[in-house]
């Protein structure tokens, strides 16, 4: 999880402000992580803010659902300051990914 948090808080992601180059880089990292787990992520554009939702489904038995979510955007750059967003919300993204990995290995 630490590796993903550090990647989301890197210079390449630059605070992950919605619609920014850093946000696009964060989305690529998350999609790559989900694909590496053997999941097939899909995306949904969010009109009006240039944001994108990312979804991945882990099939289980029965008709019950568990929804786990975390936002990957953050404040980005403002003036000379970059807001990296480890607590808001890179850590929760990494936790959601780890939960996805566990559920993929041990489907409910």
């Amino acid at each position: 999880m630490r590796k993903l948090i550090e990647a989301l808080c890197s210079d390449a992601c630059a605070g992950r402000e919605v619609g920014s180059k850093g946000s696009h880089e964060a989305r690529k990292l998350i999609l790559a992580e989900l694909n590496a787990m053997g999941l097939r992520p899909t995306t949904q554009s969010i009109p009006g803010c240039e944001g994108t939702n990312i979804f991945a489904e882990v099939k289980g038995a029965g008709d019950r659902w568990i929804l786990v979510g975390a936002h990957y955007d953050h404040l980005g750059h403002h003036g000379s300051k970059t807001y990296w967003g480890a607590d808001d919300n890179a850590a929760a993204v990494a936790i959601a990914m780890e939960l996805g990995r566990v559920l993929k290995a041990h489907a409910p």
Side-chain angles (χ1 to χ4, degrees):
M1 289 190 303
R2 182 180 180 135
K3 182 179 173 184
L4 180 58
I5 294 168
E6 289 176 347
L8 291 171
C9 296
S10 68
D11 287 338
C13 291
R16 306 180 310 277
E17 184 173 4
V18 175
S20 70
K21 183 179 175 186
S23 177
H24 295 285
E25 183 63 29
R27 183 170 53 246
K28 287 190 326 191
L29 288 168
I30 293 165
L31 289 170
E33 186 84 11
L34 290 167
N35 281 309
M37 286 183 227
L39 299 175
R40 294 185 319 211
T42 59
T43 60
Q44 174 193 46
S45 295
I46 304 169
C49 73
E50 298 181 53
T52 303
N53 288 323
I54 302 169
F55 301 95
E57 182 178 343
V58 176
K59 299 266 187 198
D63 62 352
R64 299 189 131 194
W65 289 76
I66 300 169
L67 177 65
V68 178
H71 65 91
Y72 65 94
D73 64 312
H74 193 58
L75 300 173
H77 289 293
H78 290 276
S80 63
K81 186 163 174 83
T82 300
Y83 295 88
W84 302 109
D87 292 338
D88 184 19
N89 204 24
V93 170
I95 291 166
M97 294 297 205
E98 188 61 24
L99 182 56
R101 191 178 335 280
V102 169
L103 290 173
K104 174 74 173 156
H106 308 283

